[in-house]
Amino acid sequence: MPNIAPPKLPDGEKVDFDDFHRKRLEKDFTELQTLIEVHFESRQKEEEELIALKSRIENRRSERAEQLRIRTERERERQTRVTEERLRKEEEEAKRKAEEDAKKKKVFSNMSFGGYLQKVDKKTGKKLTEREKKMKILMERRKALNIDHLNQDKLSDKAKELWQWMYQLQTEKFDLMEKLKRQKYEISLLRNRVSDHQKVKPTKGARGGKSKVGGQWK
């Protein structure tokens, strides 16, 4: 091992170890303070970056929540439009079928009554049967509904009007039936009177003015 010589001190100078030690401490303190400041600056920068990162994450989360809300709302509106469109088409289809059924019924009804009316018209000038007379009267009194263009309120009013008309017809029918009963009763009474009168009718002729009662001369 080589010999190490101690440092040679300059001649004529006195070394102050206390001052040397103090300067050494001041230098170490300055370096330490510098390291602490650098550490705190770095820590502050990291905290600022962390806060900025948290803010970006929160903003991104809010943006995604808003986008999800908008998509959900648009999807709900789309589903609502689809449902409304489907209901509208179903309602139009039902209305169209109802109108077609009503037209078919009207055509069939007109064909039935019209054909019978033509047969009755061909007998103009001829004596109609009682059944034909009744049918002709019914056809003349029959009213066309004409309800294709009516709304719900108008249909309700039309139903009330038809009910009143039916009630009136039933009242007239009852009055006519009672009148027919009275007429039958009166005809029956008149027939009985005529029969009784014929039984006691005197016969003019010989045999001293005798009358014939019950087929015998008295």
Side-chain angles (χ1 to χ4, degrees):
M1 181 175 182
N3 294 326
I4 300 176
K8 186 177 181 180
L9 299 175
D11 297 335
E13 293 183 4
K14 185 179 180 180
V15 178
D16 189 355
F17 288 98
D18 293 335
D19 183 60
F20 179 78
H21 182 66
R22 181 179 57 78
K23 289 181 179 179
R24 181 68 180 177
L25 290 177
E26 290 178 353
K27 180 180 179 182
D28 293 341
F29 178 77
T30 302
E31 291 178 354
L32 179 61
Q33 188 175 9
T34 302
L35 290 175
I36 291 173
E37 290 177 354
V38 171
H39 172 73
F40 278 104
E41 289 178 357
S42 177
R43 182 66 181 273
Q44 183 178 2
K45 185 177 180 181
E46 290 176 355
E47 289 180 353
E48 290 176 354
E49 291 177 352
L50 181 61
I51 292 173
L53 178 61
K54 289 181 178 180
S55 178
R56 288 196 299 271
I57 292 173
E58 187 65 27
N59 292 335
R60 180 60 179 168
R61 185 179 299 157
S62 299
E63 290 176 358
R64 294 188 65 181
E66 181 66 16
Q67 291 174 357
L68 180 61
R69 185 190 67 80
I70 293 174
R71 285 198 300 267
T72 303
E73 185 68 23
R74 288 177 179 176
E75 179 64 20
R76 187 183 298 111
E77 292 177 354
R78 188 186 70 81
Q79 291 292 341
T80 301
R81 290 194 300 269
V82 170
T83 303
E84 290 177 351
E85 182 67 16
R86 178 175 58 81
L87 293 176
R88 184 184 64 81
K89 290 182 178 179
E90 291 178 355
E91 183 178 356
E92 290 179 353
E93 182 66 17
K95 184 178 179 181
R96 185 183 63 80
K97 289 183 178 179
E99 290 177 352
E100 289 180 355
D101 292 341
K103 290 180 180 179
K104 290 179 181 178
K105 290 180 181 179
K106 187 175 181 181
V107 170
F108 291 151
S109 177
N110 291 337
M111 288 175 63
S112 177
F113 282 96
Y116 185 81
L117 186 61
Q118 289 178 358
K119 293 180 181 178
V120 174
D121 290 339
K122 289 180 180 179
K123 291 187 176 182
T124 303
K126 298 181 181 180
K127 185 177 181 181
L128 300 178
T129 63
E130 291 298 325
R131 183 174 180 278
E132 290 173 343
K133 290 179 181 179
K134 291 180 181 180
M135 290 296 295
K136 186 175 181 180
I137 292 173
L138 289 175
M139 284 186 291
E140 290 175 352
R141 298 183 67 175
R142 177 176 173 269
K143 297 180 179 180
L145 290 178
N146 193 19
I147 59 174
D148 297 339
H149 62 286
L150 299 181
N151 55 22
Q152 189 68 27
D153 295 335
K154 296 295 184 180
L155 287 174
S156 179
D157 295 338
K158 189 68 175 180
K160 292 178 181 179
E161 179 184 349
L162 292 175
W163 187 90
Q164 285 292 125
W165 185 55
M166 290 178 63
Y167 180 79
Q168 180 182 353
L169 291 177
Q170 289 293 335
T171 303
E172 293 177 0
K173 178 182 176 181
F174 178 79
D175 294 339
L176 291 174
M177 294 296 292
E178 291 297 319
K179 183 178 179 180
L180 180 60
K181 289 180 181 179
R182 289 195 301 270
Q183 289 178 349
K184 287 183 178 180
Y185 177 73
E186 292 174 356
I187 290 173
S188 178
L189 288 179
L190 290 174
R191 285 180 177 176
N192 291 333
R193 289 179 183 177
V194 170
S195 179
D196 293 340
H197 180 70
Q198 288 179 348
K199 289 179 180 179
V200 298
K201 182 178 180 181
T203 303
K204 294 182 180 181
R207 300 189 181 185
K210 293 182 179 181
S211 62
K212 191 176 182 180
V213 179
Q216 298 180 358
W217 293 96
K218 294 184 178 180

